[in-house]
Amino acid sequence: RVRSPCVGKLTAVDSFDTTVFVPLEHVVSISTDNKRLRVLSVDGTYWLKGSLKEMERILGQNMFLRISRYEIINLSKVRRFDFTLSGVLRIELEQGVETWASRRFVPVIRQRLQGQRL
């Protein structure tokens, strides 16, 4: 179960199974990895149990965006969106991370970004 002890933080574990509180503003992306959620933050990588659907409910839609069945990104950590002619979307995040949106999500992402200044 995904828990948030207070508004603005996630309760996760590090590679030593130590509980840590990750501020939402430090989260770069959250993705599925072998039935766990991997939280990539500016401070390191952490792990959560739960589903991306649960994370969407907890995070809300102001700061975070689902880009595929397997990943949610923090919009404030996006350096650049590259929409290609073939309709594929490449996303460059902070920390030198590059990810790709699935084609199915591109129309939703375009619509969301049209109404938002980044």
Side-chain angles (χ1 to χ4, degrees), residues 36-64:
R36 295 190 307 171
L37 296 178
R38 178 179 48 218
V39 178
L40 176 63
S41 102
V42 296
D43 304 316
T45 301
Y46 305 101
W47 304 95
L48 294 169
K49 289 187 180 182
S51 69
L52 281 179
K53 196 168 205 65
E54 283 180 279
M55 287 307 304
E56 280 184 299
R57 273 196 305 265
I58 290 169
L59 299 172
Q61 292 187 347
N62 292 333
M63 207 160 99
F64 293 87

CSV table of all heavy atoms in Angstrom, one decimal, residues 36-64:
chain,number,residue,atom,x,y,z
A,36,ARG,N,7.1,-3.6,-8.3
A,36,ARG,CA,7.3,-2.6,-7.3
A,36,ARG,C,7.3,-1.2,-8.1
A,36,ARG,O,7.5,-1.2,-9.3
A,36,ARG,CB,8.6,-2.7,-6.6
A,36,ARG,CG,8.6,-4.0,-5.7
A,36,ARG,CD,9.8,-4.0,-4.8
A,36,ARG,NE,11.1,-3.8,-5.5
A,36,ARG,CZ,12.3,-3.6,-5.0
A,36,ARG,NH1,12.3,-3.6,-3.6
A,36,ARG,NH2,13.3,-3.4,-5.7
A,37,LEU,N,7.2,-0.2,-7.3
A,37,LEU,CA,7.3,1.2,-7.9
A,37,LEU,C,8.7,1.7,-7.6
A,37,LEU,O,9.1,1.7,-6.4
A,37,LEU,CB,6.2,2.1,-7.4
A,37,LEU,CG,4.8,1.7,-7.7
A,37,LEU,CD1,3.8,2.7,-7.1
A,37,LEU,CD2,4.6,1.7,-9.2
A,38,ARG,N,9.4,2.2,-8.6
A,38,ARG,CA,10.7,2.8,-8.5
A,38,ARG,C,10.5,4.3,-8.5
A,38,ARG,O,9.9,4.8,-9.4
A,38,ARG,CB,11.7,2.4,-9.6
A,38,ARG,CG,13.0,3.0,-9.4
A,38,ARG,CD,14.0,2.6,-10.5
A,38,ARG,NE,13.3,2.7,-11.8
A,38,ARG,CZ,13.6,1.8,-12.8
A,38,ARG,NH1,14.4,0.8,-12.6
A,38,ARG,NH2,13.0,1.9,-13.9
A,39,VAL,N,10.9,5.0,-7.4
A,39,VAL,CA,10.8,6.4,-7.4
A,39,VAL,C,12.2,7.0,-7.6
A,39,VAL,O,13.1,6.8,-6.8
A,39,VAL,CB,10.3,6.9,-6.0
A,39,VAL,CG1,10.3,8.4,-5.9
A,39,VAL,CG2,9.0,6.3,-5.6
A,40,LEU,N,12.4,7.7,-8.7
A,40,LEU,CA,13.6,8.3,-9.1
A,40,LEU,C,13.5,9.8,-8.5
A,40,LEU,O,12.6,10.5,-8.9
A,40,LEU,CB,13.9,8.3,-10.6
A,40,LEU,CG,15.1,9.1,-11.0
A,40,LEU,CD1,16.4,8.5,-10.4
A,40,LEU,CD2,15.2,9.1,-12.5
A,41,SER,N,14.4,10.1,-7.6
A,41,SER,CA,14.3,11.5,-7.1
A,41,SER,C,15.6,12.2,-7.3
A,41,SER,O,16.6,11.5,-7.7
A,41,SER,CB,13.9,11.4,-5.6
A,41,SER,OG,15.0,11.6,-4.7
A,42,VAL,N,15.7,13.4,-7.0
A,42,VAL,CA,16.9,14.2,-7.1
A,42,VAL,C,18.0,13.7,-6.1
A,42,VAL,O,19.2,13.9,-6.2
A,42,VAL,CB,16.7,15.7,-7.0
A,42,VAL,CG1,15.9,16.2,-8.1
A,42,VAL,CG2,16.1,16.1,-5.6
A,43,ASP,N,17.5,13.0,-5.1
A,43,ASP,CA,18.4,12.5,-4.0
A,43,ASP,C,18.8,11.0,-4.2
A,43,ASP,O,19.6,10.5,-3.4
A,43,ASP,CB,17.7,12.6,-2.6
A,43,ASP,CG,17.3,14.0,-2.4
A,43,ASP,OD1,18.1,14.9,-2.6
A,43,ASP,OD2,16.1,14.2,-1.9
A,44,GLY,N,18.1,10.3,-5.1
A,44,GLY,CA,18.4,8.9,-5.3
A,44,GLY,C,17.2,8.1,-5.8
A,44,GLY,O,16.2,8.7,-6.1
A,45,THR,N,17.3,6.8,-5.7
A,45,THR,CA,16.3,5.9,-6.1
A,45,THR,C,15.7,5.2,-4.9
A,45,THR,O,16.4,4.7,-4.1
A,45,THR,CB,16.8,4.8,-7.1
A,45,THR,OG1,17.3,5.5,-8.3
A,45,THR,CG2,15.7,3.9,-7.6
A,46,TYR,N,14.4,5.2,-4.8
A,46,TYR,CA,13.7,4.6,-3.7
A,46,TYR,C,12.6,3.6,-4.3
A,46,TYR,O,12.3,3.6,-5.4
A,46,TYR,CB,13.0,5.6,-2.8
A,46,TYR,CG,14.1,6.6,-2.4
A,46,TYR,CD1,14.2,7.9,-3.0
A,46,TYR,CD2,14.9,6.3,-1.3
A,46,TYR,CE1,15.2,8.8,-2.5
A,46,TYR,CE2,15.9,7.2,-0.9
A,46,TYR,CZ,16.0,8.4,-1.5
A,46,TYR,OH,17.0,9.3,-1.1
A,47,TRP,N,12.0,2.9,-3.4
A,47,TRP,CA,11.0,1.8,-3.8
A,47,TRP,C,9.7,2.0,-3.0
A,47,TRP,O,9.7,2.3,-1.8
A,47,TRP,CB,11.6,0.5,-3.6
A,47,TRP,CG,12.9,0.3,-4.3
A,47,TRP,CD1,14.1,0.5,-3.8
A,47,TRP,CD2,13.0,0.0,-5.7
A,47,TRP,NE1,15.0,0.3,-4.8
A,47,TRP,CE2,14.4,0.0,-6.0
A,47,TRP,CE3,12.1,-0.3,-6.7
A,47,TRP,CZ2,14.9,-0.3,-7.2
A,47,TRP,CZ3,12.6,-0.5,-8.0
A,47,TRP,CH2,14.0,-0.5,-8.2
A,48,LEU,N,8.6,1.7,-3.6
A,48,LEU,CA,7.3,1.7,-3.0
A,48,LEU,C,6.6,0.4,-3.4
A,48,LEU,O,6.8,-0.1,-4.4
A,48,LEU,CB,6.4,2.9,-3.5
A,48,LEU,CG,6.8,4.3,-3.2
A,48,LEU,CD1,6.0,5.2,-4.1
A,48,LEU,CD2,6.6,4.6,-1.8
A,49,LYS,N,5.6,0.0,-2.6
A,49,LYS,CA,4.7,-1.0,-3.0
A,49,LYS,C,3.4,-0.3,-3.3
A,49,LYS,O,3.1,0.7,-2.8
A,49,LYS,CB,4.5,-2.0,-1.8
A,49,LYS,CG,5.6,-2.9,-1.5
A,49,LYS,CD,5.3,-3.9,-0.5
A,49,LYS,CE,6.6,-4.8,-0.3
A,49,LYS,NZ,6.4,-5.8,0.6
A,50,GLY,N,2.7,-0.9,-4.3
A,50,GLY,CA,1.5,-0.3,-4.8
A,50,GLY,C,1.4,-0.3,-6.3
A,50,GLY,O,2.2,-0.9,-6.9
A,51,SER,N,0.5,0.5,-6.8
A,51,SER,CA,0.3,0.6,-8.2
A,51,SER,C,0.4,2.0,-8.7
A,51,SER,O,0.3,3.0,-7.9
A,51,SER,CB,-1.1,0.0,-8.6
A,51,SER,OG,-2.1,0.9,-8.1
A,52,LEU,N,0.6,2.2,-10.0
A,52,LEU,CA,0.6,3.5,-10.5
A,52,LEU,C,-0.7,4.2,-10.4
A,52,LEU,O,-0.8,5.4,-10.2
A,52,LEU,CB,1.1,3.5,-12.0
A,52,LEU,CG,2.6,3.4,-12.2
A,52,LEU,CD1,2.9,3.4,-13.7
A,52,LEU,CD2,3.4,4.5,-11.5
A,53,LYS,N,-1.8,3.4,-10.5
A,53,LYS,CA,-3.1,4.0,-10.3
A,53,LYS,C,-3.3,4.6,-8.9
A,53,LYS,O,-3.8,5.7,-8.8
A,53,LYS,CB,-4.2,2.9,-10.5
A,53,LYS,CG,-5.5,3.4,-10.8
A,53,LYS,CD,-6.4,2.2,-11.3
A,53,LYS,CE,-7.6,2.7,-12.1
A,53,LYS,NZ,-7.3,3.3,-13.4
A,54,GLU,N,-2.8,3.9,-7.9
A,54,GLU,CA,-2.8,4.5,-6.5
A,54,GLU,C,-2.0,5.8,-6.5
A,54,GLU,O,-2.4,6.8,-5.8
A,54,GLU,CB,-2.2,3.5,-5.5
A,54,GLU,CG,-3.1,2.4,-5.1
A,54,GLU,CD,-2.4,1.5,-4.1
A,54,GLU,OE1,-1.6,0.6,-4.6
A,54,GLU,OE2,-2.7,1.6,-2.9
A,55,MET,N,-0.8,5.7,-7.1
A,55,MET,CA,0.0,6.9,-7.1
A,55,MET,C,-0.7,8.1,-7.8
A,55,MET,O,-0.5,9.2,-7.3
A,55,MET,CB,1.3,6.6,-7.8
A,55,MET,CG,2.3,5.8,-7.0
A,55,MET,SD,2.6,6.3,-5.4
A,55,MET,CE,3.2,8.0,-5.7
A,56,GLU,N,-1.4,7.9,-8.9
A,56,GLU,CA,-2.1,8.9,-9.6
A,56,GLU,C,-3.1,9.6,-8.6
A,56,GLU,O,-3.2,10.8,-8.6
A,56,GLU,CB,-2.8,8.4,-10.8
A,56,GLU,CG,-2.0,8.2,-12.0
A,56,GLU,CD,-2.8,7.8,-13.2
A,56,GLU,OE1,-3.4,6.8,-13.2
A,56,GLU,OE2,-2.8,8.6,-14.2
A,57,ARG,N,-3.8,8.8,-7.8
A,57,ARG,CA,-4.7,9.3,-6.9
A,57,ARG,C,-4.0,10.2,-5.8
A,57,ARG,O,-4.5,11.2,-5.4
A,57,ARG,CB,-5.5,8.2,-6.2
A,57,ARG,CG,-6.7,7.8,-6.9
A,57,ARG,CD,-7.6,6.9,-6.1
A,57,ARG,NE,-7.0,5.8,-5.5
A,57,ARG,CZ,-6.9,4.6,-6.0
A,57,ARG,NH1,-7.6,4.3,-7.1
A,57,ARG,NH2,-6.3,3.6,-5.4
A,58,ILE,N,-2.9,9.7,-5.3
A,58,ILE,CA,-2.2,10.4,-4.2
A,58,ILE,C,-1.6,11.7,-4.8
A,58,ILE,O,-1.6,12.7,-4.1
A,58,ILE,CB,-1.1,9.5,-3.6
A,58,ILE,CG1,-1.8,8.4,-2.8
A,58,ILE,CG2,-0.1,10.3,-2.8
A,58,ILE,CD1,-0.8,7.3,-2.4
A,59,LEU,N,-0.9,11.6,-5.9
A,59,LEU,CA,-0.2,12.7,-6.5
A,59,LEU,C,-1.1,13.8,-7.0
A,59,LEU,O,-0.7,15.0,-7.1
A,59,LEU,CB,0.8,12.3,-7.6
A,59,LEU,CG,1.8,11.3,-7.1
A,59,LEU,CD1,2.6,10.7,-8.3
A,59,LEU,CD2,2.8,11.9,-6.1
A,60,GLY,N,-2.3,13.5,-7.5
A,60,GLY,CA,-3.1,14.4,-8.2
A,60,GLY,C,-2.5,14.7,-9.6
A,60,GLY,O,-1.6,14.1,-10.0
A,61,GLN,N,-3.1,15.7,-10.3
A,61,GLN,CA,-2.7,15.9,-11.6
A,61,GLN,C,-2.1,17.3,-11.9
A,61,GLN,O,-1.8,17.6,-13.0
A,61,GLN,CB,-3.9,15.8,-12.6
A,61,GLN,CG,-4.4,14.4,-12.7
A,61,GLN,CD,-5.5,14.2,-13.7
A,61,GLN,OE1,-6.0,15.2,-14.2
A,61,GLN,NE2,-5.8,13.0,-14.0
A,62,ASN,N,-1.9,18.1,-10.8
A,62,ASN,CA,-1.3,19.4,-11.0
A,62,ASN,C,0.2,19.3,-11.4
A,62,ASN,O,0.7,19.9,-12.3
A,62,ASN,CB,-1.4,20.2,-9.8
A,62,ASN,CG,-2.9,20.6,-9.5
A,62,ASN,OD1,-3.7,20.6,-10.4
A,62,ASN,ND2,-3.2,20.8,-8.3
A,63,MET,N,0.9,18.5,-10.7
A,63,MET,CA,2.4,18.5,-10.8
A,63,MET,C,2.9,17.2,-11.6
A,63,MET,O,4.0,17.2,-12.1
A,63,MET,CB,3.0,18.4,-9.4
A,63,MET,CG,4.4,19.0,-9.3
A,63,MET,SD,4.8,19.4,-7.6
A,63,MET,CE,5.7,18.1,-7.1
A,64,PHE,N,2.1,16.2,-11.7
A,64,PHE,CA,2.5,14.9,-12.3
A,64,PHE,C,1.6,14.5,-13.5
A,64,PHE,O,0.5,14.9,-13.6
A,64,PHE,CB,2.4,13.8,-11.2
A,64,PHE,CG,3.5,14.0,-10.1
A,64,PHE,CD1,3.2,14.8,-9.0
A,64,PHE,CD2,4.7,13.4,-10.2
A,64,PHE,CE1,4.1,15.0,-8.0
A,64,PHE,CE2,5.7,13.6,-9.2
A,64,PHE,CZ,5.4,14.4,-8.1
